[in-house]
Amino acid sequence: MRDFHYISYAQEVIFGHAALTRMGEALKHAGWRRLMLCTNYSMRSSGHALAVEGLLGERLVATFDRVQPHVQDVQVEEAVTLAEAEDVDALIGLGGGSPIGMAKAVAYKLEDRRTARPREQSASTAQPMVPVVAIPTTYAGSEMTAVFGITHSRENPPRKVTTYDPKIAPKLVVYDPELTLDLPPELTASTGINALAHCFEALYSITRHPLSTSAAISGVHKIGNSLLRCFQDGSDVEARTEMLAGAHLAGLSLSSVAMGLHHGLCHVLGGAAGVPHGIANGIMLPHAIRFNAEATAAELLPAAEALGLPLDGNRPAVIMEETAQRVYDLVGDMRLPQRLREVGVKRDDLPRLGQLAFQNQTVQNNPKRISDAAQLEELLRAAW
Ligand code: NAD
């Protein structure tokens, strides 16, 4: 038995049919009276923002409905000013990882301003001054984590800076599958593969623990059962419900463990080569599984089983190759790009990307030791 050490967060989670309508009771119970909604244009045009506004009634005192992808610093400043002017006591993020990230960023900065002192990382059990409510409509998983990133847009090239603070973990999370029915097929596929990758990396994480492992295995099972069905028919409520539960489990496992090679590589590809995060996930996950196979087969065998692969009589190396191929096929079936060359990465970029990945802390958190940049360049070449 391995030693373990992790932080979990006190979060109220409401999941299922018409969960949104049950949010009001939870808000009343929490006593928050001056809420601000952070969301974006697609939530406005789909009517989801209006539905939330209607449910909040007088408790809603401000809305910032222009959140751009990757939480831009300029927008955070605008939203904080609005929140201060309205004396907000809780933030709601409605949408994908970007509006939820914005809600976290505003809550964090409001607390800094109200206490008028520079913050140190909070103790693991500290409660936030300005809590966050998350209503996710993609499968990215930010609603369960204590992390947010802000893009420093005035730098050239723009740089995304990540903050971890236990107080930032959303205190109330509302999962309503009906809000995901209009998630377009490409975003269903890319954010769904991102969730699957969270499970795989949680399973072999160097900081894994019994709870993250259980959540991740169950997450793989649910995602394996439902993601392709959601892609093929976005209106399939049963599949959407199972997929959202899978994304929840993926986010839960992600929230308390260190990610490794795969996520580090996807961040490098996003930052240095402009590859969207979900697309990078689809391309890289089979290669990360192959790369790590010899060191992590014991941890990944339950994932292979959860994907329906037979374990009997097969060598672990064979099962790992079948697992990588199963993920590769799923990515192809959902018509996502499967090679880096399809998404604008040039062959000449690979040595530089390999070097950057070698310096990336998340990459270095990988369970299989990475001793030089050439290993990563070779892996990227295989994905090219
Ligand atoms: P996103 O929030 O930027 O949304 C992507 C697109 O999907 C947007 O155009 C949005 O309008 C659209 N969309 C979302 N829900 C929809 C719906 N139901 N119907 C129609 N359109 C919909 O992207 P994302 O992939 O959800 O999240 C990615 C961002 O979140 C990145 O910035 C990433 O770094 C961050 N993230 C953070 C964490 C964390 O733990 N902090 C985890 C995962 C992702």
Side-chain angles (χ1 to χ4, degrees), residues 14 19-27 52 55-56 133 135 172 174:
I14 307 178
L20 199 54
T21 59
R22 286 181 268 149
M23 177 177 71
E25 200 52 38
L27 292 176
V52 171
L55 284 164
L56 292 172
V133 177
I135 312 174
L172 174 63
V174 181

Side-chain angles (χ1 to χ4, degrees), residues 254-384:
L254 159 75
S255 69
S256 59
V257 298
M259 293 282 104
L261 167 79
H262 170 78
H263 273 83
L265 278 173
C266 290
H267 286 148
V268 168
L269 287 166
V275 184
H277 192 60
I279 302 294
N281 267 270
I283 297 171
M284 295 313 304
L285 186 56
H287 296 279
I289 293 170
R290 267 189 203 111
F291 181 89
N292 277 331
E294 62 185 275
T296 64
E299 286 73 40
L300 291 187
L301 285 176
E305 194 172 23
L307 287 175
L309 292 166
L311 302 192
D312 291 352
N314 277 332
R315 284 186 301 117
V318 173
I319 298 168
M320 285 302 98
E321 179 50 36
E322 285 173 355
T323 306
Q325 190 61 42
R326 173 66 64 94
V327 173
Y328 181 82
D329 292 344
L330 174 63
V331 171
D333 288 345
M334 296 192 296
R335 297 196 281 280
L336 289 178
Q338 287 171 294
R339 301 208 147 265
L340 290 174
R341 74 180 77 165
E342 294 170 42
V343 293
V345 178
K346 304 273 178 292
R347 187 196 276 268
D348 293 349
D349 294 338
L350 300 179
R352 180 179 65 98
L353 293 170
Q355 281 292 348
L356 285 172
F358 186 62
Q359 291 154 16
N360 182 283
Q361 185 54 52
T362 310
V363 168
Q364 289 299 346
N365 284 340
N366 196 53
K368 175 174 154 182
R369 198 166 154 263
I370 297 163
S371 50
D372 65 65
Q375 282 175 286
L376 297 170
E377 188 184 326
E378 195 183 319
L379 189 158
L380 288 165
R381 207 171 292 287
W384 190 78

Side-chain angles (χ1 to χ4, degrees), residues 40 42-43 48 69-70 95-99 104 137-138 140-142 145 147-148 160 179-180 182-184 187 191 194 198 254:
N40 68 2
S42 72
M43 293 295 109
H48 298 326
H70 299 302
S98 300
K104 291 175 175 178
T137 63
T138 72
S142 173
T145 76
V147 176
F148 66 91
K160 194 160 177 179
L179 298 179
T180 64
D182 54 359
L183 186 64
L187 283 165
T191 65
N194 192 7
H198 290 152
L254 159 75

